[in-house]
DNA sequence: TAATTATTTAACAATTTTGTTAAACAATAT
DNA sequence: ATATTGTTTAACAAAATTGTTAAATAATTA
């Protein structure tokens, strides 16, 4: 890695940290610079503007999440295993980046058009891979391996159970009266809880 | 309602609309004024500052949600019915204010200290009411009416399934390839889906 | 070592946004 | 009808923030 690439990376890491915590409007270039251990001038020497920096960070994380999910959805494993894979994939990502969902959701709420641009760019519509999953669920229902359920609700249920405790962390912490380490421990245990919850709920 | 009260209300409604869409940092006093059909000068004639306006809006919504949930949790109805009540209470609130959870979560993420102030102020800790629910779940488990489950996971599961489709609306819409009306229809159907999902998952 | 490249400093311009003010005007109440 | 209160206009001050620039300095590379 050359120095330029190293600095590039340093800045993007700092930008990720600040944007994830504060969102676009709340983030300050000054904070990003300080987090990266430098000054604003150098930031602009490497990246034209706040917007550009933000888009790089956002697109990277979003695409990673999205393509990871699609890979799993379209993979050739049995349904229960696939559900496990989705849960584990997301929870691994979230343990590493707890603020990620709040960041993505906030930007998509303020700026929903971005989604369509991003998806067109990547030339990969969710539909195709979702249909594979849809068919798989229908077949499992037909064969009586799981109860009658709409695959769209199933996938949203999975995402909900996995993602909400991270998006809603401050609320949940308060409600359960747990401090940071206890809440993290709670989330660790929860990994198994989610699996059994989901699998139980789709039993025939 | 006097004129003053009417204008007060008008401004707070406008503030609610703009803050819910844009968050604190993203909201503009100019937007709030225009939404209320007036100008910035009058806004400041009624409310000292953006912060003050925001706090009123935030506190009102948060307290409403919180005390509503606590009333239900501590009420004297059987567990399955209580779960239904929670689901319906939240979904009703969310249908009326779809942006509410994103708004609350975003502010709590940026500004977690606020929670403690708010809760101290209201003199109503979540613990007490949560313990009622906790005991109720334990009893149901003991009597074999539901499977072994930690009440904390149960309540987080309920909140997840109910709230996530609203917080994650832009993402879910894209993923399911639904337009606004179709997604709203999906959410309507989902009300029943959530109940059966939860109840199924806690069967003995 | 000389030349090139990366980084800091410090000042500044431009923009955006919040908040204030005074004066004029409109509406309402006494 | 007059006094009070509510509202608009328009200008402005203050602050915060982004982005630029030139010159000095440090680090790397040829």
């Amino acid at each position: 890695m050359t120095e330029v690439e190293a600095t590039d990376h340093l800045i993007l890491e700092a930008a990720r940290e600040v944007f994830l915590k504060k969102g676009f409007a709340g983030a300050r270039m000054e904070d990003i610079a300080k987090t990266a251990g430098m000054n604003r001038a150098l930031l602009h020497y490497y990246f034209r503007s706040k917007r550009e920096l933000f888009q790089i960070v956002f697109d990277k994380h979003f695409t990673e999440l999205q393509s990871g999910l699609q890979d799993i959805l379209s993979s050739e494993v049995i349904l229960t295993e696939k559900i496990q894979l989705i849960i584990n994939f997301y929870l691994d990502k979230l343990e590493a980046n707890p603020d990620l969902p709040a960041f993505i959701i906030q930007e998509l709420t303020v700026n929903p058009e971005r989604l369509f641009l991003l998806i067109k760019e990547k030339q990969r519509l969710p539909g195709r891979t979702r249909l594979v999953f849809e068919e798989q669920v229908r077949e499992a229902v037909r064969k009586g391996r799981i109860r009658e359920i709409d695959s769209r609700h199933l996938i949203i249920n999975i995402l909900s159970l996995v993602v909400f405790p991270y998006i809603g962390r401050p609320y949940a912490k308060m409600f359960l009266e747990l401090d940071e380490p206890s809440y993290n421990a709670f989330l660790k245990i929860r990994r198994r809880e989610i699996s059994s919850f989901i699998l139980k709920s789709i039993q025939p």
Side-chain angles (χ1 to χ4, degrees), chain A:
Chain A
M1 185 147 57
T2 70
E3 311 119 74
V4 171
E5 284 169 344
T7 308
D8 230 78
H9 189 254
L10 198 67
I11 293 175
L12 287 173
E13 271 305 294
R16 175 187 141 282
E17 193 180 323
V18 176
F19 281 134
L20 257 69
K21 269 210 195 92
K22 307 279 187 164
F24 178 78
R28 296 287 163 259
M29 291 298 265
E30 180 66 30
D31 289 352
I32 296 175
K34 265 189 195 150
T35 302
M38 62 186 62
N39 47 44
R40 273 180 17 252
L42 196 59
L43 227 60
H44 283 101
Y45 179 75
Y46 277 82
F47 297 91
R48 244 176 278 278
S49 67
K50 186 180 174 184
R51 256 290 149 204
E52 185 192 339
L53 209 45
F54 182 83
Q55 281 175 4
I56 294 171
V57 171
F58 181 86
D59 292 4
K60 180 170 162 285
H61 280 99
F62 181 79
T63 306
E64 239 178 77
L65 266 190
Q66 187 57 15
S67 64
L69 177 59
Q70 297 205 344
D71 286 349
I72 297 172
L73 282 182
S74 59
S75 69
E76 302 233 353
V77 295
I78 60 167
L79 187 58
T80 51
E81 195 181 333
K82 193 174 276 193
I83 290 174
Q84 280 291 352
L85 285 175
I86 297 171
I87 294 172
N88 288 328
F89 167 72
Y90 265 92
L91 288 183
D92 289 344
K93 273 264 179 292
L94 290 173
E95 268 178 35
N97 308 287
D99 292 329
L100 190 56
F103 167 74
I104 288 182
I105 290 304
Q106 193 237 24
E107 177 61 11
L108 291 185
T109 302
V110 172
N111 208 340
E113 321 83 64
R114 166 182 311 293
L115 255 187
F116 296 96
L117 294 175
L118 251 179
I119 288 181
K120 260 188 191 155
E121 231 172 59
K122 304 288 163 187
Q123 225 79 23
R124 194 176 183 193
L125 280 141
R128 272 286 300 286
T129 62
R130 221 191 59 238
L131 289 181
V132 173
F133 184 71
E134 213 165 301
E135 185 45 48
Q136 189 171 20
V137 170
R138 250 201 296 272
E139 197 193 313
V141 170
R142 206 168 46 236
K143 289 190 178 162
R145 281 211 282 265
I146 63 171
R147 73 166 168 101
E148 173 79 39
I149 187 174
D150 178 341
S151 69
R152 298 176 307 168
H153 286 291
L154 178 55
I155 188 78
I156 295 292
N157 288 348
I158 296 171
L159 293 183
S160 298
L161 292 170
V162 167
V163 174
F164 179 80
Y166 285 88
I167 295 196
R169 172 186 294 250
Y171 181 81
K173 263 179 66 179
M174 173 280 296
F175 186 76
L176 301 178
E177 290 172 299
L178 299 174
D179 57 16
E180 195 67 22
S182 312
Y183 189 71
N184 288 332
F186 174 76
L187 290 180
K188 277 250 157 62
I189 294 173
R190 196 173 158 77
R191 192 184 280 255
R192 264 173 291 133
E193 185 59 38
I194 291 176
S195 299
S196 60
F197 192 80
I198 296 262
L199 295 178
K200 188 87 205 307
S201 76
I202 58 173
Q203 270 178 12

